[in-house]
Amino acid sequence: MALEKKSRVASPKKTIVTQKKKTSVTKKTIAIKEDASSSKKNLVIVESPAKAKTINKILGSNFVVKATVGHIKDLPKNKLGFDAENGFIPEYVTIDGKEKIIKDLQESAKKASTIYLASDPDREGEAIAWHIAEIIKEAVSQSKKTISPDIYRVIFNEITARAVKEAIENPSSIDMNKVNAQQARMILDKLVGYGLSPFLWKKIAFGLSAGRVQSVALKLIVERQKEINAFNSEEYWSISAEFVGSVLPNIMASLHKYKGTTVIEKTKTKNNFLIKDESTAHDILSAIKNERYHISSIEKKLKKRRPYPPYITSTIQQDASAKLRFSAKQTMAVAQQLYQGLELGKMGHVGLITYMRTDSTRLAPEAIAWSRELISKKFGKEYLPEKPHIYAVKKSAQEAHEAIRPTYPQYEPNVIKEFLKPDQYKLYNLIWNRFLASQMEQAQLEQTSMDIIDSKEQAVFRASGTIIKFKGFLALYTDDTETDKDQAILPNVKEGEDLKLIEITSDQHFTQPPPKFSEASLVKALEEKGIGRPSTYAAILTKIEERKYVEKEARIYTPTELGVVVSDLLVDKFPDIINTEFTAKMEDDLDIIEEGNIVWNSVIKDFHTQFTKDLSAASLNVEKLKPADVVEEINCEKCGKPMTLKWGRNGKFLACSGYPQCKNAKPIDAASSSKAQVEVVETDEICDKCGSPMVIKAGRYGKFMACSNYPSCKNIKSKTTGVKCPEDGGDIIEKKSKRGIFYGCKNYPSCKFIINYKPINEKCPDCNAPFLLEKKNKKGDITVFCYNKECKFKVVRRLPDS
């Protein structure tokens, strides 16, 4: 049931409004004032402890701020959790480990006069707020309280004093349309996962999985690889010349036309090359190398370049990849830290940027105002446009959201650099520069094109150059990924002037296939095709990597054999679902649900009907498939037969072709070439048992260091974590057992200290404990918490569902 139907209004001054209505809300200024006479306090509930700390500093002692540490309710893991015959109404269960948090929230709610649900301003945040409201109402109804606390939804895009207090003074109610859109996405994803994953187990291999959105992302990568494999490279030649005129510098030009025909003509559909081989290039060189040349025309154009809009989720992921070499997941994790707030010495806990999951380029008027004041002060009035730049917003963008921007003008990157970790500073500096640049004056460029012709008018050479007349926004921000071919500086010469040919050369070229997808280009493609939304891009990329359907090297994706087999099977048997158009339409339907213009379970019903038919047909008509075994040029050292490259649930491995008579098998480096090599990397370390060199090998649990004298010496060394044991000061190292990875003191058995979670060499910001621990769940969400059990420090880096 919607919150607005259950929430009670305590006084005429408190008016609850839905986000869809334009009703005004009376300012609740009394809620923010300190009230020493009142025994009850206002309760604010957010997702993360870091966010709670920042908000608590803003609101003061009249408020208690609690954190849910992410979602508290979810669908059950061991079953669908909804029934098609019952309208797909979800059956929610408490997430493991959240019982204590729920109990604490319920107890705090009983003591509160007013409750504010301040989870993130997106669908995930709205669902969290709804679940919190439900568990609070349940607890209050079971208590002996005669008066229930008022429950409000508050939304802000930045954690600043102005934004938080304004939200508290202007509360609203839970937007059930947003909740329903989140429920619809969650149920759609589970329907596809529960249907396709067992299908893959039967047809390819046990343990594989597929998802509604990530399968389409995999399809894009596989299709691009097939384009590359099918590409036929074409040879062509270019001719370049160096001329000198009456003034320096010399002019570098390329042959543009020969006997009236364009030398290189490239279009979207076809490339035409006049010079296709060395013989033709030699003939043209011979014909023109002794001619006299002059300038036939000079054309100058003044071009203005508009600044780039401030960041949205997709563009910050692309730019951070290109400029900082951050992965999408890393970018979002660091951005979340900047948004939730960081400790800035005497300045306290401060939220440094606006909400980072957004597809809107809108900027708040006050942000535009302070950016213009800062630009005028730092760069001069000539760098300030007459009117602020306003950027177009996509139809699908959240109207209430803003672009990603800094929250305070006084916290310039260099001013607070000492308080930030390197990754935090780099990303914050990028956001700061892009935001300020978006409000600066346009750059003015003078583009010059010069044609040089021979005396017989056979050959036309063209030289191009660009001069920056006024830097404008380029004084602060440039896009390194945008290559400008016309950067050469040309001399101040005149039309008709004779030139002397200094040198003329020919160069061989070959047409290139389309590039493989990088993280940045894949995010851009997903955005352009309408696949996924800002909150899901990082999770999509993470999942296809974790499932070993793609390999990533130098941020470039290549599909594995397994990925190709899985993608081809899904595309062949589910063409109506695993395609970009359908996936984009589903995203549009979710947006329409959020707008309140369509019933959420009707969308699920339509999808479920067709998907069930396709799944039944596919299950009957497909034989068992698996990636083909590849015979390698490596012989088994036990029996002499060739080794074969095989696929198992843990990836590639080498196995003897003489199986089952010979059961020799070896792990390989999954990133190696098709000529598979057993992964053995030499190191400078010496075995402390026999004195032989230590080498790095790969096993089923990952890489480890072992003696090169194996099997005579079976000494191994585990990977160190860089953290010292709190009991005896020894190194804490990674260890492995049949149950998985754990961590313990290097000095075992004299020291028996062990922990199950990965230690991080960072002091706890709350209790100053020597290190933190890291826990990762199946969704890829990472929880960082204190080693000290009495300390409640905990930060969640949530990856949303895709």
Side-chain angles (χ1 to χ4, degrees):
M1 185 178 289
L3 176 61
E4 55 264 34
K5 292 182 180 179
K6 286 194 175 183
S7 296
R8 187 184 58 78
V9 181
S11 70
K13 288 188 177 182
K14 295 181 180 178
T15 306
I16 302 178
V17 296
T18 65
Q19 293 171 327
K20 302 299 177 186
K21 295 179 180 179
K22 298 292 184 179
T23 312
S24 61
V25 180
T26 304
K27 298 273 185 178
K28 295 173 70 271
T29 52
I30 191 171
I32 300 178
K33 291 179 180 179
E34 302 291 333
D35 187 1
S37 63
S38 175
S39 60
K40 292 186 177 181
K41 294 189 177 184
N42 301 297
L43 176 63
V44 180
I45 302 175
V46 297
E47 301 107 309
S48 92
K51 185 176 176 181
K53 192 172 183 179
T54 309
I55 293 173
N56 203 37
K57 173 197 167 188
I58 292 170
L59 293 177
S61 60
N62 202 35
F63 287 77
V64 173
V65 188
K66 297 281 185 176
T68 65
V69 195
H71 282 273
I72 58 171
K73 298 276 188 176
D74 200 356
L75 294 175
K77 293 180 179 180
N78 56 353
K79 60 179 181 178
L80 274 174
F82 49 85
D83 185 2
E85 302 301 322
N86 193 30
F88 299 96
I89 302 301
E91 169 198 336
Y92 289 107
V93 297
T94 300
I95 295 173
D96 289 344
K98 292 300 178 77
E99 294 84 1
K100 289 184 179 179
I101 291 174
I102 290 176
K103 185 178 180 181
D104 182 44
L105 292 175
Q106 289 174 329
E107 291 301 317
S108 298
K110 292 175 187 178
K111 302 172 185 176
S113 59
T114 308
I115 299 169
Y116 299 94
L117 308 178
S119 47
D120 286 346
D122 56 12
R123 293 172 188 164
E124 295 291 322
E126 207 72 22
I128 290 173
W130 180 56
H131 287 307
I132 296 169
E134 293 298 307
I135 62 108
I136 287 175
K137 286 184 288 183
E138 178 187 343
V140 171
S141 66
Q142 294 174 358
S143 69
K144 296 180 181 180
K145 289 188 69 172
T146 56
I147 300 177
S148 301
D150 299 298
I151 304 175
Y152 297 94
R153 174 78 168 115
V154 291
I155 291 175
F156 37 80
N157 292 308
E158 58 183 87
I159 307 176
T160 61
R162 179 198 61 78
V164 172
K165 290 178 180 179
E166 190 175 286
I168 294 292
E169 292 171 356
N170 295 274
S172 64
S173 60
I174 289 175
D175 184 351
M176 286 308 297
N177 292 327
K178 245 181 188 178
V179 174
N180 289 335
Q182 189 273 345
Q183 288 188 143
R185 174 187 287 281
M186 179 177 57
I187 292 171
L188 279 170
D189 290 343
K190 193 150 191 181
L191 274 173
V192 174
Y194 254 62
L196 293 186
S197 296
F199 171 75
L200 293 177
W201 301 349
K202 293 176 183 178
K203 304 306 176 185
I204 301 178
F206 180 79
L208 300 180
S209 59
R212 180 179 61 88
V213 181
Q214 58 266 23
S215 294
V216 179
L218 175 62
K219 176 177 179 279
L220 293 177
I221 295 171
V222 170
E223 286 181 343
R224 176 61 59 86
Q225 187 63 49
K226 289 180 177 179
E227 283 183 64
I228 294 170
N229 295 342
F231 184 81
N232 292 317
S233 187
E234 184 180 356
E235 180 186 5
Y236 68 99
W237 289 69
S238 64
I239 294 177
S240 303
E242 181 180 358
F243 300 93
V244 63
S246 57
V247 293
L248 294 175
N250 290 356
I251 303 168
M252 308 302 297
S254 299
L255 185 62
H256 176 57
K257 287 185 177 182
Y258 184 68
K259 295 184 177 178
T261 303
T262 302
V263 174
I264 299 174
E265 186 176 19
K266 294 184 178 182
T267 65
K268 290 184 178 179
T269 57
K270 188 178 179 182
N271 294 328
N272 295 315
F273 303 109
L274 175 65
I275 312 173
K276 297 184 177 182
D277 50 50
E278 186 175 11
S279 176
T280 306
H282 181 268
D283 291 342
I284 295 175
L285 274 179
S286 299
I288 64 176
K289 66 181 181 180
N290 296 317
E291 295 299 321
R292 298 174 62 188
Y293 291 87
H294 68 276
I295 299 171
S296 60
S297 66
I298 298 176
E299 184 179 359
K300 293 186 178 182
K301 291 181 180 178
L302 189 64
K303 179 183 176 183
K304 291 186 177 181
R305 184 181 295 178
R306 200 166 188 251
Y308 298 93
Y311 284 129
I312 58 176
T313 304
S314 60
T315 53
I316 195 173
Q317 288 177 359
Q318 293 167 46
D319 231 15
S321 176
K323 293 175 178 291
L324 307 179
R325 306 182 74 83
F326 283 8
S327 67
K329 183 177 178 180
Q330 180 185 6
T331 299
M332 296 311 292
V334 176
Q336 187 152 335
Q337 295 164 14
L338 296 172
Y339 164 70
Q340 292 177 343
L342 298 169
E343 199 69 39
L344 303 182
K346 294 180 180 179
M347 295 169 277
H349 218 71
V350 179
L352 291 172
I353 66 169
T354 51
Y355 191 55
M356 63 284 165
R357 295 186 182 98
T358 176
D359 51 6
S360 173
T361 53
R362 187 183 71 83
L363 292 171
E366 58 270 17
I368 293 175
W370 70 252
S371 69
R372 288 175 62 83
E373 184 178 338
L374 201 59
I375 290 165
S376 179
K377 180 181 177 181
K378 284 190 165 293
F379 295 93
K381 292 184 178 180
E382 65 272 22
Y383 283 84
L384 192 67
E386 185 178 343
K387 295 180 179 179
H389 293 302
I390 306 297
Y391 296 93
V393 179
K394 296 187 300 182
K395 290 182 180 179
S396 61
Q398 298 278 333
E399 290 182 10
H401 284 192
E402 269 195 80
I404 303 170
R405 63 164 177 84
T407 51
Y408 293 99
Q410 64 267 36
Y411 297 133
E412 294 184 50
N414 288 332
V415 172
I416 60 173
K417 185 176 182 179
E418 63 177 300
F419 304 109
L420 304 183
K421 294 178 182 177
D423 285 357
Q424 293 169 346
Y425 171 76
K426 289 175 185 176
L427 192 65
Y428 182 59
N429 190 57
L430 201 63
I431 293 168
W432 179 279
N433 289 344
R434 174 87 167 219
F435 164 64
L436 277 191
S438 74
Q439 292 305 310
M440 293 175 74
E441 187 60 90
Q442 299 179 82
Q444 295 181 17
L445 312 174
E446 184 182 79
Q447 293 183 333
T448 302
S449 179
M450 182 185 300
D451 282 357
I452 302 165
I453 194 168
D454 70 319
S455 55
K456 294 182 180 178
E457 298 187 351
Q458 294 184 104
V460 178
F461 284 85
R462 177 163 291 175
S464 301
T466 299
I467 297 174
I468 298 176
K469 288 289 191 179
F470 174 68
K471 284 187 175 183
F473 77 94
L474 293 176
L476 186 59
Y477 176 89
T478 57
D479 188 349
D480 299 333
T481 63
E482 182 185 74
T483 56
D484 197 328
K485 297 179 181 179
D486 301 326
Q487 292 298 315
I489 298 175
L490 299 176
N492 187 20
V493 290
K494 298 178 180 178
E495 285 188 14
E497 184 174 324
D498 290 335
L499 300 176
K500 181 181 179 182
L501 177 62
I502 302 296
E503 184 181 24
I504 188 167
T505 57
S506 60
D507 293 291
Q508 183 186 37
H509 308 276
F510 293 92
T511 54
Q512 298 297 311
K516 292 183 179 183
F517 279 112
S518 64
E519 279 199 329
S521 62
L522 184 57
V523 168
K524 185 176 182 180
L526 293 173
E527 182 189 25
E528 289 175 346
K529 296 178 184 296
I531 300 169
R533 285 296 181 262
S535 60
T536 65
Y537 297 138
I540 292 169
L541 304 190
T542 299
K543 285 182 179 179
I544 58 175
E545 285 182 60
E546 289 179 345
R547 288 168 179 166
K548 299 183 180 178
Y549 294 158
V550 299
E551 293 172 346
K552 186 174 71 172
E553 186 173 358
R555 296 172 295 141
I556 302 296
Y557 288 116
T558 302
T560 61
E561 293 95 328
L562 181 63
V564 172
V565 171
V566 168
S567 181
D568 287 351
L569 177 62
L570 294 178
V571 170
D572 180 46
K573 298 303 173 184
F574 302 93
D576 296 332
I577 297 172
I578 311 300
N579 70 63
T580 54
E581 292 77 14
F582 174 81
T583 307
K585 181 183 179 301
M586 289 304 301
E587 295 293 344
D588 291 339
D589 285 347
L590 293 173
D591 291 340
I592 296 171
I593 292 171
E594 184 173 333
E595 293 164 3
N597 295 325
I598 188 172
V599 179
W600 71 272
N601 41 13
S602 67
V603 173
I604 306 294
K605 182 180 179 181
D606 291 344
F607 171 82
H608 181 255
T609 301
Q610 184 61 47
F611 179 60
T612 303
K613 289 179 182 178
D614 291 345
L615 186 59
S616 298
S619 299
L620 292 172
N621 300 329
V622 183
E623 296 180 357
K624 185 85 173 178
L625 298 172
K626 67 175 183 177
D629 294 344
V630 179
V631 178
E632 297 292 329
E633 296 179 8
I634 299 175
N635 292 329
C636 174
E637 68 271 21
K638 291 187 178 180
C639 72
K641 291 184 178 180
M643 299 291 280
T644 56
L645 183 65
K646 290 180 175 285
W647 265 98
R649 61 184 298 178
N650 293 312
K652 293 178 183 178
F653 66 98
L654 282 174
C656 181
S657 59
Y659 180 86
Q661 288 77 20
C662 178
K663 296 181 180 180
N664 185 25
K666 295 181 178 182
I668 66 163
D669 182 358
S672 65
S673 64
S674 61
K675 213 175 213 184
Q677 300 292 326
V678 178
E679 184 185 36
V680 176
V681 180
E682 294 184 1
T683 72
D684 294 330
E685 292 202 35
I686 301 298
C687 175
D688 51 14
K689 291 187 177 181
C690 73
S692 300
M694 298 293 285
V695 295
I696 296 174
K697 294 184 176 182
R700 63 179 302 181
Y701 298 111
K703 295 180 179 180
F704 65 97
M705 191 177 293
C707 181
S708 60
N709 195 26
Y710 179 87
S712 300
C713 177
K714 297 181 180 180
N715 184 26
I716 62 171
K717 289 184 179 180
S718 298
K719 186 164 55 177
T720 182
T721 62
V723 178
K724 297 296 183 182
C725 174
E727 295 185 4
D728 73 349
D731 291 333
I732 297 179
I733 60 174
E734 182 181 291
K735 298 188 175 186
K736 303 175 180 70
S737 70
K738 291 181 179 180
R739 295 183 179 181
I741 295 174
F742 68 99
Y743 301 87
C745 182
K746 181 182 179 181
N747 297 328
Y748 178 87
S750 60
C751 178
K752 296 183 178 180
F753 173 81
I754 60 169
I755 46 176
N756 291 322
Y757 302 112
K758 181 180 179 180
I760 303 173
N761 194 17
E762 294 178 21
K763 287 186 177 181
C764 175
D766 285 1
C767 74
N768 211 33
F771 59 89
L772 300 172
L773 300 177
E774 179 181 280
K775 178 170 65 174
K776 186 176 182 182
N777 65 17
K778 292 181 179 180
K779 292 183 178 180
D781 301 343
I782 296 174
T783 302
V784 177
F785 59 101
C786 186
Y787 156 70
N788 178 8
K789 292 181 180 180
E790 296 180 359
C791 178
K792 295 183 178 181
F793 174 77
K794 187 180 288 187
V795 175
V796 177
R797 301 168 186 170
R798 176 170 59 89
L799 275 178
D801 297 333
S802 60

